[in-house]
């Protein structure tokens, strides 16, 4: 075992974090070199992780009317690149570019209005902006408008079919799959199983998982095609391989009954388990399998470590020691977890700017461990961690966001902006 005095252990972690910061600063200084133009400079700065430099370049251009700069600023805020994810500020910049006729901004703004993210939910405004974008001819925008008519905020099956058709004609595979399903259902078009099979097979052969599953169902039922369990099982397997839960369950049924595949109870049970793995849509379920995040700038933690190694430095205000102490209390060391202590020390480290502490405090809030369960505060802290540069946190943030209502998400983003160091919006 590697024996060190407590103070030496903390110094070792601090040295590594200091060297990392020095390397990042040196790398970021290279991004200021002039290349082909200010927008290219901004793109290079974003790619190298220097978002403040990018925003400094983009903001004057955006304020002077550059739709491209407005669009890039909107994406920075929408995606939480170097700043907390903030749909309200994103909507402001999307609106500016949309008013200038930018189709990409019109589409993005329409989706925000449709969902009520960063703006008041407004189905008419959503439809108007999505339509403006789609009319400019982009297949993805045409698909988004079709989807909005197909069970979205403004149901209109006939319009959905028309816009899916336009996007399909441009080779947009999601539209091909969705149009095939409309023909299968007779929704917005005359029911036509042959046409449905043709479109769904076309999408399935291009690797579209939902289409693969639906083709499998048509072969199982013998709809529009002679019943063929072997072919059905092949398509279910292709979709299941891509992680589609419904296809896993359907393939499980095939193995359970020996339809088109050898009968295999163990295989069926495993597929049923995999198909039901998602369990639910709550934010708690989305992070169920996620471990606590570690700061990539720090040396790997000794699994034999105990809290007393870090207590002294943590109580003296060292944020690295605070984070490590919280991490050990969360279950990384030899002793059983103490989530109340983990939350206490993660909170203190988070307030001193440790991104991984922010993320882990957010996970504790989502799970209700050591703190009252609160999805809004959970998302807020994970959002701040992603804004502070912890790449892993962005994936967790987006998973939690998918389980929140628009009002919860808007509230959480407002709280994040209040916590974030003051920046000019």
């Amino acid at each position: 075992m590697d024996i060190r005095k407590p103070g030496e252990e903390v110094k070792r972690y601090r040295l590594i974090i200091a060297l990392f910061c020095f390397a990042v600063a040196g790398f970021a200084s290279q991004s200021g070199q002039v290349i082909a133009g200010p927008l290219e400079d901004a793109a290079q700065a974003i790619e190298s992780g220097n978002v403040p430099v990018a925003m400094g370049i983009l903001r004057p251009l955006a304020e002077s009317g550059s739709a491209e700069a407005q669009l890039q600023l909107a994406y920075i805020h929408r995606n939480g690149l170097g700043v907390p994810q903030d749909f309200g500020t994103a909507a402001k910049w999307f609106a500016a570019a949309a008013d200038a006729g930018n189709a990409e901004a019109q589409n993005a703004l329409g989706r925000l209005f449709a969902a009520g993210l960063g703006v008041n939910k407004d189905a008419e405004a959503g439809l108007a902006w999505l339509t403006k974008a789609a009319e400019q001819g982009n297949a993805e925008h045409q698909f988004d408008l079709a989807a909005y008519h197909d069970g979205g905020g403004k149901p209109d099956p006939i319009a959905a079919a028309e816009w899916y058709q336009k996007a399909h004609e441009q080779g947009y595979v999601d539209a091909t799959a969705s149009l095939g399903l409309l023909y299968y259902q007779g929704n917005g078009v005359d029911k036509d199983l042959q046409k449905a099979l043709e479109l769904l097979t076309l999408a399935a052969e291009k690797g579209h998982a939902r289409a693969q599953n639906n083709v499998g169902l048509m072969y199982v039922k013998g709809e529009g095609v002679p019943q063929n369990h072997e072919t059905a099982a092949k398509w279910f397997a292709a979709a299941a391989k891509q992680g589609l839960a419904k296809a896993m369950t359907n393939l499980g049924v095939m193995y359970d009954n020996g339809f088109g595949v050898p009968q295999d109870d163990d295989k069926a049970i495993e597929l049923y388990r995999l198909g039901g793995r998602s369990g639910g849509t709550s934010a708690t379920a989305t992070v169920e399998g996620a471990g606590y995040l570690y700061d990539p700038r720090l040396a790997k933690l000794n699994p034999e470590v105990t809290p007393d190694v870090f207590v002294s430095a943590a109580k003296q205000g060292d944020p690295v020691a605070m984070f490590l102490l919280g991490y050990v209390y969360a279950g990384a060391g030899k002793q059983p977890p103490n989530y109340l202590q983990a939350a206490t020390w993660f909170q203190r480290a988070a307030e001193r700017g440790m991104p991984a502490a922010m993320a882990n405090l957010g996970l504790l809030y989502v799970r209700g461990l050591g703190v009252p369960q609160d999805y809004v505060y959970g998302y807020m802290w994970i959002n701040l961690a992603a804004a502070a540069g912890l790449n892993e946190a962005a994936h967790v943030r987006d998973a939690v966001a998918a389980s929140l209502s628009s009002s919860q998400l808007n509230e959480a983003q407002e709280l994040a902006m209040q916590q974030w160091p003051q920046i000019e919006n």
Side-chain angles (χ1 to χ4, degrees):
M1 180 176 176
D2 188 11
I3 304 296
R4 291 183 178 86
K5 295 179 181 179
E8 292 175 345
E9 184 76 10
V10 174
K11 286 179 181 177
R12 179 168 71 97
Y13 289 105
R14 288 191 63 80
L15 176 60
I16 292 170
I17 199 169
L19 289 172
F20 179 90
C21 291
F22 178 79
V24 169
F27 179 72
S29 69
Q30 301 299 315
S31 67
Q33 295 178 354
V34 176
I35 48 177
L39 289 174
E40 289 82 358
D41 288 346
Q44 186 179 18
I46 292 171
E47 186 176 352
S48 66
N50 202 332
V51 175
V53 167
M55 293 180 72
I57 295 169
L58 292 169
R59 190 178 297 279
L61 295 173
E63 291 173 346
S64 67
S66 168
E68 184 61 32
Q70 292 163 348
L71 186 66
Q72 293 310 314
L73 275 179
Y75 280 132
I76 285 173
H77 288 284
R78 191 192 72 175
N79 298 334
L81 301 176
V83 294
Q85 191 175 52
D86 178 6
F87 294 132
T89 302
K92 181 185 79 172
W93 290 114
F94 278 136
D99 285 337
N102 184 285
E104 198 170 341
Q106 291 170 344
N107 180 261
L109 184 61
R111 294 176 69 175
L112 291 179
F113 272 115
L117 295 173
V119 292
N120 292 328
K121 189 170 184 177
D122 188 330
E124 292 298 335
L127 177 60
W129 286 115
L130 288 170
T131 301
K132 284 179 181 291
E135 287 175 343
Q136 294 198 49
N138 179 279
E140 183 177 354
H141 300 164
Q142 292 170 342
F143 172 82
D144 286 343
L145 177 58
Y148 196 48
H149 284 304
D150 184 14
K154 298 292 289 185
D156 185 340
I158 294 175
E162 291 174 352
W163 285 107
Y164 280 143
Q165 178 69 37
K166 291 178 185 294
H168 157 66
E169 289 171 358
Q170 295 194 63
Y172 197 72
V173 68
D174 283 338
T176 303
S178 295
L179 184 60
L181 189 58
L182 291 187
Y183 275 104
Y184 176 81
Q185 298 167 334
N187 192 20
V189 291
D190 293 334
K191 185 167 183 173
D192 186 334
L193 293 179
Q194 291 297 326
K195 183 69 173 177
L197 183 65
E198 174 190 333
L199 289 166
L200 289 170
T201 301
L202 178 61
E205 289 173 345
K206 292 181 178 180
H208 193 282
R210 181 164 52 88
Q212 291 169 340
N213 182 65
N214 287 333
V215 170
L217 288 172
M218 293 188 75
Y219 274 100
V220 161
K221 298 175 182 179
E223 294 180 317
V225 67
Q227 188 180 57
N228 188 319
H229 287 157
E230 289 80 6
T231 301
K234 180 193 76 171
W235 285 116
F236 288 147
K241 189 175 182 179
Q242 295 191 64
L244 188 68
K246 289 181 180 179
M248 294 175 188
T249 299
N250 290 336
L251 187 58
V253 173
M254 305 299 277
Y255 276 101
D256 200 359
N257 293 279
F259 293 155
V261 291
Q263 199 281 331
D264 189 329
D265 287 339
D266 291 339
K267 186 72 172 177
I269 290 170
E270 175 66 8
L271 285 163
Y272 288 148
R273 184 185 69 80
L274 291 171
R277 174 177 287 175
S278 60
T281 59
S282 73
T284 305
T286 65
V287 300
E288 184 177 2
Y292 293 97
L293 304 188
Y294 195 65
D295 195 311
R297 301 169 295 182
L298 303 182
K300 186 176 179 180
L301 194 67
N302 186 334
E304 299 294 316
V305 72
T306 55
D308 60 280
V309 173
F310 306 113
V311 168
S312 177
K315 288 183 176 179
Q316 292 178 45
D318 187 313
V320 174
M322 291 174 179
F323 165 72
L324 292 168
L325 186 55
Y327 196 79
V328 172
Y329 276 126
K334 295 173 62 176
Q335 72 295 316
N338 183 330
Y339 294 116
L340 181 61
Q341 286 290 337
T344 297
W345 290 108
F346 280 146
Q347 173 94 33
R348 294 181 184 181
E351 290 171 348
R352 288 164 175 78
M354 292 290 292
M358 300 174 196
N360 292 335
L361 180 60
L363 286 169
L364 290 178
Y365 270 110
V366 170
R367 292 168 171 150
L369 297 174
V371 289
Q373 189 170 50
D374 190 322
Y375 292 166
V376 169
Y377 270 96
Y379 170 90
M380 179 198 77
W381 281 113
I382 298 168
N383 187 14
L384 289 168
L390 188 64
N391 292 334
E392 291 177 87
H395 301 292
V396 181
R397 176 200 65 198
D398 293 342
V400 172
S403 300
L404 303 187
S405 68
S406 59
S407 60
Q408 287 177 314
L409 199 50
N410 290 335
E411 180 187 357
Q413 291 185 352
E414 289 175 8
L415 289 172
M417 291 306 298
Q418 292 170 17
Q419 288 282 343
W420 190 248
Q422 291 299 310
I423 58 174
E424 189 176 355
N425 288 311

